[in-house]
Amino acid sequence: MQISKVAIVGAGTMGSSIAVAVSGSGFPVVLKDVDEEAVRAGLQRVDRLLASMVKKGLPQHDAESQRALIEAATNYEAFPDVDLVIEAVAENLDVKRVVLKELDDNCNVHAIFATNTSSLPITLLAQATRRPDKVVGMHFFNPAHLMKLVEVVPGLDTSTDTARTAVEFGQALGKLAVRVEECPSFLVNRLLGRYMNEALWCLQEGVATVEEIDRAAVEYVMPIGPFALRDMNGADVGLAVARYNYQEYGERFKPSPILEQMVKRNFLGQKSGAGFYEYDRETRKRSGPNPELSEVLTDVRALRAAVPSAHHNPETDQLARVLQTDFSQPETAIHASFRVERLFLPMINEAFLVLQEKICQAEDLDPALMAGLGMRKGPLTLAAEIGLADCLRQLEELFQRHGERFRPANLLKRYVWGGRTTVV
């Protein structure tokens, strides 16, 4: 199916950014929200994004042409002429289902509905319409006008033509459009969650401090450390995602209690002025480590003592070392027991589980992680560099000490048994 005109429902931060991405490739866009005030705010966001792009080199006349392609709407009058609607409202199942039902009543029978969800089930969302074959997930990464990745996620009833059209449309926007089979958190956020959670477990155990872990991750392969990233996104958001993944995937996604304690203390990150680091409330500029983090770790230690883990060994528990750490000293030497690879072994293992489940093509996995997270190397490349046999050995050792978080994927075992040294 050919896409000539696009509508976006939801003129918030994400919807406005998607509007800029779509209009930048020459597609006319209808940007809709519930009332004039919401639409006006959305268009102001569009104007700010375009002004920023002009400062970075976009010719002014190109920005003006792009802006002229975007029209505002508070109703569905223009929607019968639209070929593709991208729903970008709040990440709430009930809200999205209401919007999809309204679209079903107001769009032509051939129109495709793309939901910009980061984790909600496409199959369930599609049931709000009479056209589940024309509903597909298109997960744009924030900010959509800059980030190169879009995950295209078909539901159980999504037709082959709908999925293909969504991939081709993503490519027309200049994106890396990767087809991902439906699963909780899809591909990139699923693997990211394993890495982010392991950083918390390392902190809880006391094998390294916040700054040591962040610095090691950046030096190894990431553009930003896990704790700085968590502060950007918010501990409350992180906790909700962690709980969801734990509910869907089970024990290997069990969240560290650190996040819950931080949310209780309103240590949410940049938006509250303190998280793993402290921030200026107005500029959100980081001023240094949060000195009250030691209290969070004390609470976690008390909880852990009250309910011992099956894999907790008091003789090797190093949490006390973190509790005595001076968080104002960023150059503290990393403890000998910390290896940066440990942060990525759960991600690598999850990558093999993803391939085992046929969630994506092996050749798409590393490019998706690099485009979506800014990694300099993807997890399959890291696995090959570490050595698949060595990855398996380390996972087995960590599994003996820590349990389900490190249970090796069967596919990884088979690769090692078969003498493979690379995946793709």
Side-chain angles (χ1 to χ4, degrees):
M1 177 177 173
Q2 174 138 8
I3 303 300
S4 299
K5 188 174 184 179
V6 179
I8 299 167
V9 180
T13 300
M14 199 66 190
S16 301
S17 184
I18 294 173
V20 172
V22 174
S23 62
S25 293
F27 292 95
V29 177
V30 178
L31 182 61
K32 179 192 177 299
D33 215 310
V34 293
D35 54 36
E36 292 289 348
E37 183 179 355
V39 167
R40 185 163 47 251
L43 292 177
Q44 288 173 348
R45 276 187 284 268
V46 167
D47 290 339
R48 286 195 297 270
L49 293 176
L50 289 173
S52 176
M53 292 167 67
V54 168
K55 286 182 180 179
K56 294 176 181 177
L58 179 70
Q60 181 65 41
H61 62 85
D62 287 352
E64 292 171 357
S65 298
Q66 193 170 334
R67 178 64 178 81
L69 288 170
I70 303 173
E71 63 174 293
T74 57
N75 56 49
Y76 291 106
E77 288 180 5
F79 279 59
D81 296 330
V82 166
D83 304 304
L84 171 70
V85 182
I86 301 172
E87 168 276 304
V89 299
E91 187 76 347
N92 179 285
L93 186 65
D94 293 334
V95 172
K96 288 182 181 292
R97 283 172 62 87
V98 167
V99 169
L100 288 167
K101 186 178 185 307
E102 291 177 352
L103 290 174
D104 205 29
D105 293 337
N106 288 279
C107 294
N108 72 69
V109 295
H110 303 293
I112 290 173
F113 301 158
T115 173
N116 180 52
T117 176
S118 61
S119 61
L120 296 175
I122 309 304
T123 298
L124 188 55
L125 288 169
Q127 298 312 304
T129 75
R130 298 182 297 274
R131 61 181 89 188
D133 60 312
K134 293 188 174 296
V135 178
V136 65
M138 286 193 75
H139 176 210
F140 289 83
F141 282 67
N142 192 28
H145 65 291
L146 297 178
M147 296 296 286
K148 291 298 184 183
L149 179 66
V150 58
E151 293 176 320
V152 176
V153 188
L156 188 63
D157 300 309
T158 304
S159 71
T160 300
D161 182 62
T162 296
R164 182 174 57 247
T165 299
V167 169
E168 291 173 352
F169 177 70
Q171 292 170 341
L173 300 184
K175 307 292 186 185
L176 173 64
V178 173
R179 176 172 172 143
V180 176
E181 298 308 315
E182 189 175 23
C183 67
S185 290
F186 308 146
L187 172 62
V188 173
N189 284 340
R190 174 175 168 179
L191 270 63
L192 175 65
R194 299 284 276 119
Y195 152 80
M196 296 288 281
N197 202 37
E198 196 56 37
L200 288 167
W201 285 110
C202 286
L203 180 64
Q204 180 172 322
E205 291 169 25
V207 296
T209 67
V210 166
E211 287 199 317
E212 290 167 356
I213 292 170
D214 269 2
R215 186 167 59 248
V218 170
E219 290 174 354
Y220 190 53
V221 74
M222 300 299 283
I224 184 173
F227 299 120
L229 179 59
R230 176 62 70 224
D231 278 357
M232 284 178 61
N233 295 335
D236 51 344
V237 175
L239 180 60
V241 172
R243 285 173 170 169
Y244 172 72
N245 285 331
Y246 182 37
Q247 169 191 302
E248 296 297 319
Y249 289 113
E251 196 65 20
R252 74 180 185 273
F253 273 86
K254 182 178 181 179
S256 162
I258 290 175
L259 272 185
E260 187 168 349
Q261 291 298 316
M262 294 187 75
V263 171
K264 284 181 179 179
R265 293 170 179 267
N266 201 41
F267 290 157
L268 306 183
Q270 292 183 7
K271 59 187 172 186
S272 69
F276 292 99
Y277 299 93
E278 287 189 307
Y279 300 88
D280 181 283
R281 285 182 177 271
E282 292 186 5
T283 65
R284 296 195 173 187
K285 184 177 180 180
R286 191 166 80 191
S287 59
N290 181 359
E292 296 183 55
L293 189 59
S294 59
E295 296 179 13
V296 174
L297 296 172
T298 299
D299 288 347
V300 170
R301 186 185 190 194
L303 287 170
R304 190 177 182 188
V307 186
S309 165
H311 296 275
H312 171 54
N313 182 350
E315 293 181 0
T316 60
D317 184 7
Q318 301 180 74
L319 186 57
R321 198 178 303 179
V322 166
L323 300 180
Q324 297 167 1
T325 299
D326 180 357
F327 286 93
S328 67
Q329 300 299 320
E331 299 302 325
T332 305
I334 295 179
H335 302 303
S337 59
F338 176 70
R339 295 183 60 189
V340 68
E341 289 88 351
R342 177 176 160 181
L343 299 177
F344 294 90
L345 282 169
M347 176 189 277
I348 289 169
N349 200 44
E350 199 69 25
F352 279 92
L353 289 169
V354 159
L355 296 183
Q356 197 170 294
E357 298 168 22
K358 303 186 185 306
I359 297 300
C360 71
Q361 297 295 316
E363 60 268 23
D364 288 337
L365 195 146
D366 274 7
L369 271 288
M370 294 167 72
L373 301 180
M375 297 178 71
R376 296 188 291 280
K377 299 174 184 177
L380 298 181
T381 299
L382 293 179
E385 290 184 353
I386 294 169
L388 300 190
D390 199 34
C391 283
L392 179 58
R393 179 188 59 77
Q394 291 186 56
L395 284 165
E396 288 174 337
E397 291 175 356
L398 289 162
F399 174 59
Q400 291 301 315
R401 291 207 301 271
H402 302 288
E404 286 301 315
R405 297 202 317 279
F406 293 98
R407 182 184 291 274
N410 184 256
L411 184 61
L412 173 58
K413 292 180 181 179
R414 292 170 58 204
Y415 269 70
V416 173
W417 296 338
R420 302 277 187 93
T421 57
T422 61
V423 179
V424 290

